[in-house]
């Protein structure tokens, strides 16, 4: 295949065996939610799909980026990673180079809840995958959830999108790692409806900017240090760049790989897609010194790298033989605070799950309300009955917020995927402030554990 020679190394997430099967993203429609797309770009024009494109900033059907503005190149760069054409001697090859690409322009102006909600629900009957590389400020002190409209749009998308199979929302984990940010403080990334994507560098480590948190599901390669390789893609002005970077570059790569899986098996539901990513991601190229833990179901997980690097061939193979998972069940358990007067700056909360409705876990949330004096000093650890301990919040030294520190905030974790949740769960709230500042945690209100999963294991796992 002539595309082999032009495929940049950083984009090689084991996609070549998939192309050899003739799978290239055909009939799959991907929309990037971004600052526009140069749809007449030579390497995009053929795959551009106006039906899945809109400009919410100016409220018209033309999502062209602001002309002569290099700062409006983000959407065009992301789109190229997914759908650059093959064999045309221009720029490079998109991961799903025969998919249809659109842009929902919404980062070209003031961003507000109604605009986000409209964007996340645009052309719900046509878009298969929405790729988002945006969210709250990555400054290590913001804690922000989607507003009413955005939240509603995500919940509706997974029910009504793709003719009831559910829209696929791909989300960048964020670039705030250097500022101590944690993507579980970003309610978009922490949503169970979004597939949260981090970045690995070409040395096989979590990239220096890539935020960690327990809702990171998987990683793709992106840029590393300045001297390392960056991502090649289309750029505005009908040009090409070799300098696309950050988790912004990782999410579209994941969207492209998922497009290949959807061509291989168009019947996958939004939850099927998450299951097959968990099972096909590979830890092998990423073993250098990151925080891997084996969970109670035998799956390795890291809050930096999720279940590992996406492997397109393994994902597509699993997609082809995957049978739809049973209906999602949800169970809730209220926590009880275990008083520990000798250690006022560390609290323990217990949840006893004695129901047998869910025996095969997917997502877990801890919803917590608490007041404190220095939010960034708090760390939250969740332990499952199988003994898996996961940091659902790391300390964020720059977050000096005091007051209603957690206001029914849902901390999400995928670390216990496929475990049996029956038994005792424990939440440890640890305060890392120096002893001079006593009693950081002022009060703990309602705390609840929410379990998502199924009674029976997915049949594709029982009879592989
Ligand atoms: Ca090309
Ligand atoms: Ca962030
Ligand atoms: Ca997520």
């Amino acid at each position: 295949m002539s595309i082999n020679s032009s495929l940049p190394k950083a984009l090689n997430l084991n996609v070549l065996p998939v192309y050899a099967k003739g799978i290239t993203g055909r009939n799959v429609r991907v929309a990037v939610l971004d600052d526009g797309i140069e749809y007449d770009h030579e390497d995009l024009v053929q795959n551009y799909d106006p039906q899945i494109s809109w400009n919410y900033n100016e409220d018209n059907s033309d999502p062209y980026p602001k002309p002569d503005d290099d700062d409006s190149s983000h959407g065009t760069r992301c789109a190229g990673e997914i759908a650059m054409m093959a064999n045309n001697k221009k720029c490079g090859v998109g991961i799903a180079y025969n998919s249809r690409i659109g842009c929902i322009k919404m980062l070209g102006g003031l961003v507000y809840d109604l605009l986000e909600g409209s964007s996340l629900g645009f052309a719900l009957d046509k878009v298969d995958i929405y790729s988002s590389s945006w969210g709250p400020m990555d400054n290590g002190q913001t804690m922000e959830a989607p507003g009413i409209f955005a939240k509603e749009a995500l919940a509706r998308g997974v029910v009504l999108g793709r003719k009831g199979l559910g829209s696929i929302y791909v989300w960048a984990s964020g670039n705030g790692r250097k500022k101590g940010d944690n993507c579980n403080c970003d309610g978009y990334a922490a949503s169970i409806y979004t597939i949260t994507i981090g970045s690995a560098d070409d040395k096989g480590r979590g990239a220096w900017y890539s935020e960690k948190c327990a809702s990171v599901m998987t990683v793709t390669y992106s840029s590393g240090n300045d001297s390392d390789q960056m991502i090649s893609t289309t750029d505005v002005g009908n040009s090409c760049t070799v300098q696309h970077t950050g988790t912004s570059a990782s999410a579209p790569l994941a969207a492209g790989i998922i497009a290949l899986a959807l061509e291989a098996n168009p019947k996958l539901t939004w939850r099927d897609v998450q299951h097959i990513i968990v099972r096909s991601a590979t830890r092998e190229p990423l073993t250098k010194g990151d925080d891997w833990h084996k969970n109670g179901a035998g799956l390795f997980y890291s809050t930096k790298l999720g279940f590992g690097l996406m492997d397109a061939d393994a994902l597509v193979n699993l997609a082809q033989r995957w049978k739809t998972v049973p209906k999602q069940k949800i169970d809730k358990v209220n926590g009880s605070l275990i008083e520990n007067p000798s250690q006022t700056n560390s609290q323990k909360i217990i949840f006893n799950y004695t129901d047998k409705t869910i025996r095969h876990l997917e997502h877990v949330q801890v919803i917590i309300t608490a007041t404190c004096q220095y939010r960034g000093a708090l760390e939250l650890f969740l332990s499952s009955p199988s003994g898996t301990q996961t940091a659902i919040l790391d300390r964020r030294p720059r977050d000096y917020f005091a007051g209603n520190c957690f206001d029914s905030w849902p901390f999400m974790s995928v670390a216990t995927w496929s475990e049996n949740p029956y038994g005792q769960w424990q939440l440890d709230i640890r305060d890392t402030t120096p002893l001079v500042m006593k009693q950081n945690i002022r009060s703990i209100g309602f705390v609840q554990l929410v379990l998502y999963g199924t009674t029976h294991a997915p049949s594709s796992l029982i009879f592989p």
Side-chain angles (χ1 to χ4, degrees), residues 12-29:
N12 191 357
L13 294 154
N14 207 17
V15 289
L16 295 181
V18 179
Y19 301 156
K21 290 181 191 128
I23 294 172
T24 55
R26 208 167 260 117
N27 299 324
V28 181
R29 300 165 103 177

Side-chain angles (χ1 to χ4, degrees), residues 9 83 135 167 231 260 330 391 398 406:
K9 180 177 149 251
S167 309
I231 300 292
L260 301 174
I330 306 172
R398 294 179 188 216
F406 308 127

Side-chain angles (χ1 to χ4, degrees), residues 171 188-196 215-216 274 363 412 414:
W171 220 277
Y188 301 79
S191 164
I192 70 166
Y193 304 131
T194 60
I195 300 172
T196 304
S215 50
V216 173
Q274 298 201 16
H363 314 86
M412 202 270 270
V414 295

Side-chain angles (χ1 to χ4, degrees), residues 337-349 378-379 381 426-435 437-444:
L337 187 67
I338 307 299
E339 297 290 346
N340 186 358
S342 66
Q343 274 205 315
T344 48
N345 275 6
S346 149
Q347 303 287 346
K348 188 159 89 175
I349 290 156
L378 299 178
E379 296 176 330
F381 294 91
Q426 183 175 317
L427 175 70
D428 287 293
I429 307 175
R430 291 181 206 159
D431 176 30
T432 60
T433 41
L435 284 172
M437 187 177 155
K438 276 186 193 148
Q439 266 218 307
N440 181 1
I441 307 162
R442 302 312 292 260
S443 68
I444 296 174

